[in-house]
Amino acid sequence: MGGDRLSVVVTRRLPETVEARMAELFDVRFGGADGPLDRAGLARAMQAADILVPTLTDRIDATLLAGSGTRLRLVANYGAGVDHIDVAAALERGILVSNTPGVLTDDTADMGIALMLAVLRRMTEGMARMQAGEWAGWAPDALLGTRLRGKTLGILGMGRIGQAMARRARAFGMAIHYHNRRRLHPGLEEPLQATFHDRLDAMVSLADVVSVNCPHTPSTFHLLNARRLKLMKPTAIVVNTSRGEVIDENALTRMLRAGELAGAGLDVYEHGQGVNPRLRELPNVVLLPHMGSATHEARIEMGEKVIFNMQTFAHGHRPPDLVLPSML
């Protein structure tokens, strides 16, 4: 790529150690700490940089890519999900896209289990009672929840995070069922004692907990639609740490309000920050602000992956975490 350092624009502030390492290696400019760039700012960044480092809040569509000029050659995403980037349009213009797979697996799976426990054991209801000073002491029938042991977990999407969820759920004594585009190799499936369903309808109808762990793609949009949600048992709950667009949020809200589902634990939402206000009113719903990968360790490891992808590209090689449309 030549002797000169490549120009890099990072759209958001990153951990200090990551920024310091990037600054050693590249001619880098960092976005502000107040929030994502607006569309005009993103367009300017794409015209000024050899490498753009966006986050999930930066929607990089075909129109922006078409106006990026001839300089931009790599979009090194700070995150595993790339549904905010038009990967096919980028590749058509000779712009590569990389991501940071793997480093978020354990933290996101931990949060999935935390949400499951919080909903089934009614933790937020208990916290609210304590904070309001309304606890009158222990009682045999107070805030009765549901145990995990013996329950069935249905995992929608059995990639790295889905498998990590399965391992954790097995430790709690849950039965593992899953739906995936492809059945796992027996060497992965057997240790989890996991049962594969080629029909999602069959899996959701028997699960006590449905965990969403698949990416958002055109084929997974509203995969849990009103019809499929109605197949679930009224005692079942939904947990989502992946992408909000996989669930029809309005249908889910209606069913929760009608008592047709027992609860939900959500870390992501169909319309980003525009959470359905009716969800906030429900005591059996736990809402978190996209915290699944929010650990110090994950954020630093994400940055290290981005840097490795950029360095590899700068040395004239294919980034190790290259994203292709066939992977989506």
Side-chain angles (χ1 to χ4, degrees), residues 28-201:
V28 61
R29 178 163 59 87
F30 297 98
D34 297 333
L37 295 176
D38 59 20
R39 190 171 177 85
L42 195 56
R44 288 192 296 271
M46 293 170 69
Q47 293 165 359
D50 299 304
I51 300 175
L52 180 76
V53 180
T55 72
L56 62 87
T57 56
D58 302 306
R59 186 153 299 279
I60 301 172
D61 56 27
T63 302
L64 277 176
L65 287 162
S68 62
T70 59
R71 185 168 185 176
L72 183 65
R73 285 291 172 262
L74 173 65
V75 176
N77 189 54
Y78 182 80
V82 292
D83 51 307
H84 57 295
I85 302 170
D86 191 328
V87 176
L91 293 178
E92 286 177 4
R93 293 187 57 81
I95 300 168
L96 302 181
V97 178
S98 65
N99 66 341
T100 62
V103 298
L104 313 179
T105 299
D106 287 328
D107 298 321
T108 305
D110 287 347
M111 189 62 82
I113 295 294
L115 281 168
M116 193 187 313
L117 282 166
V119 176
L120 291 175
R121 296 302 304 271
R122 302 174 65 179
M123 289 184 183
T124 55
E125 294 175 75
M127 290 172 60
R129 188 170 296 187
M130 293 298 292
Q131 290 167 354
E134 296 175 352
W135 186 43
W138 182 87
D141 59 350
L143 291 172
L144 299 182
T146 301
R147 68 164 59 129
L148 269 64
R149 179 167 294 278
K151 301 302 184 294
T152 296
L153 173 62
I155 298 175
L156 174 52
M158 200 63 149
R160 292 184 181 93
I161 296 172
Q163 292 172 47
M165 281 283 292
R167 288 192 293 272
R168 286 157 172 75
R170 283 291 304 158
F172 280 96
M174 300 185 79
I176 308 302
H177 292 248
Y178 74 98
H179 172 78
N180 205 44
R181 285 188 297 179
R182 301 178 187 87
R183 184 169 185 170
L184 294 182
H185 185 277
L188 295 172
E189 188 180 88
E190 289 170 6
L192 300 173
Q193 300 181 36
T195 301
F196 173 68
H197 294 265
D198 59 0
R199 292 181 59 252
L200 179 56
D201 289 6

Side-chain angles (χ1 to χ4, degrees), residues 229-252:
L229 290 169
K230 288 183 181 298
L231 294 175
M232 294 177 61
K233 297 184 286 190
T235 55
I237 72 167
V238 177
V239 170
N240 189 0
T241 56
S242 180
R243 286 292 186 263
E245 294 91 339
V246 179
I247 303 177
D248 182 339
E249 193 170 288
N250 285 332
L252 175 65

Side-chain angles (χ1 to χ4, degrees), residues 257-314:
R257 288 173 61 86
E260 296 170 342
L261 285 173
L266 306 175
D267 189 42
V268 289
Y269 308 93
E270 183 175 349
H271 303 291
Q273 294 171 263
V275 183
N276 189 321
R278 293 189 170 188
L279 280 174
R280 305 179 198 273
E281 304 167 0
L282 298 171
N284 58 340
V285 175
V286 178
L287 304 178
L288 295 179
H290 206 150
M291 294 169 58
S293 63
T295 66
H296 295 289
E297 297 88 345
R299 294 290 183 256
I300 291 172
E301 289 172 10
M302 288 163 65
E304 290 170 349
K305 278 250 184 187
V306 169
I307 291 169
F308 190 52
N309 281 306
M310 293 196 300
Q311 280 187 294
T312 305
F313 175 76

